[in-house]
């Protein structure tokens, strides 16, 4: 009966996608990110000066609109190179390759900021489900699932010791009207925040959160608690 209720409310979709994304991908690659960034920085010391940005920046658009090519999403984001690969046997596939791409993000003053960034791929599944009649997934349900995916993933990663300090979740709601460089501005905001953290720059007025960014507390107000799966742990995560 509980299973049927979960199926009807679709509350298990985002929850399952978040756990699958973590166990099947992030738990494998995130512990290796800093080593890859360190190797690249040794060969290119001027590009990754701020160690706080030696993380995988994970884009989570609540619209689930994911671009396969970030350069097409925003011309101020340019592919630079790939970080060193991780190769391992996985589920019957020998020498499966995991790697991340490094990008240069151009700001308003033509300064380049460098970081590893990619979309959370499970959002493509949520988007595809909303386009498939068999899934019976409405646009509104997709939005709620995207919010739940973000909150669930955030809780999982906060409880993961292996992944501590190796990621930055960038959840955002796209503006109603198309903006050419919206995505690069979102990424730049997070990069600047990390620079402030590293160099301890204290301002009289702290930087404001961009209007489109959403934190977990804000999302908590937008999702009914009755629709959420029960926590697996009792220690706050």
């Amino acid at each position: 009966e509980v299973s049927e209720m979960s199926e009807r409310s679709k509350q298990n979709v985002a929850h399952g996608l978040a756990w699958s994304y973590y166990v099947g991908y992030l738990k494998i690659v995130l512990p290796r990110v800093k080593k890859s960034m360190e190797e690249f920085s040794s060969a290119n010391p001027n590009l990754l000066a701020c160690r706080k940005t030696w993380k995988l920046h994970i884009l989570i658009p609540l619209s689930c609109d994911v671009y396969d090519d970030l350069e097409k999403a925003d011309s101020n984001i340019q592919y630079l190179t790939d970080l060193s690969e991780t190769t391992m046997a996985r589920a019957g596939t020998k020498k499966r390759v995991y790697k991340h791409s490094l990008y240069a993000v151009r700001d308003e003053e033509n300064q380049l900021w460098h970081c590893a960034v990619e979309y959370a791929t499970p959002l493509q599944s949520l988007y595809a489900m909303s386009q498939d009649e068999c899934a019976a997934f409405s646009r509104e349900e997709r939005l709620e699932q995207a919010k739940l995916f973000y909150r669930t993933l955030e809780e999982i990663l906060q409880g993961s010791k292996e992944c501590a300090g190796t990621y930055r979740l960038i959840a955002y709601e796209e503006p109603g009207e198309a903006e050419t460089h919206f995505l690069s501005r979102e990424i730049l905001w997070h990069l600047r925040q990390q620079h402030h953290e590293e160099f301890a720059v204290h301002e009289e007025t702290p930087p404001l959160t961009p209007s489109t960014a959403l934190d977990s507390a804000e999302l908590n107000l937008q999702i009914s608690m009755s629709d959420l799966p029960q926590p697996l742990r009792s220690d706050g995560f």
Side-chain angles (χ1 to χ4, degrees), residues 144-172:
E144 292 304 309
Q145 289 299 312
K147 294 174 184 176
L148 180 54
F149 171 82
Y150 167 63
R151 290 189 57 232
T152 304
L153 182 62
E154 184 182 47
E155 290 178 359
I156 294 170
L157 288 171
Q158 285 175 349
S160 173
K161 293 180 180 179
E162 310 99 297
C163 299
T166 63
Y167 67 91
R168 181 101 173 186
L169 300 183
I170 304 179
Y172 58 90

Side-chain angles (χ1 to χ4, degrees), residues 114-131:
H114 300 88
C115 67
V117 59
E118 64 188 45
Y119 284 101
T121 52
L123 296 178
Q124 289 180 311
S125 298
L126 284 176
Y127 187 84
M129 290 178 70
S130 69
Q131 303 298 307

